Amino acid sequence: MTLGKYLRRLLVADAGVTALAGDRVYSEVLPQSPTLPAVVFNEVAGMDDYALDGPTGAASRRVQVDAWAKTRAEATALGTAVAAALSGHAGAAAGLEVQGTFLLSERWGFEPATQLYRTGQDYEVWLSGAAA
């Protein structure tokens, strides 16, 4: 299983996220004319872990997660639900082990072109297994 599939499965299964966004959790891009609120996540960086004697089998990935909505209050509420689901999460599925997920930063913004609000978060995810 890829990290992207794992994250989507995790967020769609979370009661707090689905109460606000349903199954509207997307990888990389928000669809045109989306139903909101919605979540978009991107793997933006990563590296394999090495020790002096070679690869450890672990890797880290930086993941950006954006909660999009028509109002600041909705974007903030969805961002809070996403953080509750992801921050500190560890688990495994289909050969992928997520050892830990850590919230690194959070930001808020408004996109004038789309008239949408966003709560953006950056996570560091440590993982191992087939897709690490």
Side-chain angles (χ1 to χ4, degrees):
M1 172 176 287
T2 65
L3 179 58
K5 288 180 181 179
Y6 182 93
L7 291 173
R8 184 174 194 290
R9 179 190 283 187
L10 177 65
L11 291 171
V12 170
D14 183 80
V17 173
T18 57
L20 299 169
D23 68 348
R24 296 180 301 275
V25 176
Y26 306 103
S27 176
E28 297 184 8
V29 296
L30 194 62
Q32 285 189 338
S33 304
T35 300
L36 297 171
V39 175
V40 177
F41 64 88
N42 294 290
E43 287 185 55
V44 296
M47 62 183 206
D48 293 335
D49 189 50
Y50 289 88
L52 291 175
D53 59 347
T56 66
S60 69
R61 300 287 183 264
R62 184 170 294 223
V63 177
Q64 178 181 324
V65 182
D66 293 311
W68 292 95
K70 293 180 182 179
T71 69
R72 162 58 40 226
E74 288 178 321
T76 299
L78 183 54
T80 299
V82 167
L86 293 181
S87 189
H89 172 79
L96 178 71
E97 180 184 354
V98 173
Q99 298 165 340
T101 306
F102 308 98
L103 179 61
L104 300 175
S105 64
E106 189 170 43
R107 64 204 159 278
W108 303 267
F110 177 75
E111 298 293 329
T114 60
Q115 297 291 296
L116 297 178
Y117 290 86
R118 174 181 61 186
T119 296
Q121 301 163 337
D122 292 326
Y123 292 88
E124 183 174 29
V125 180
W126 280 91
L127 60 144
S128 62

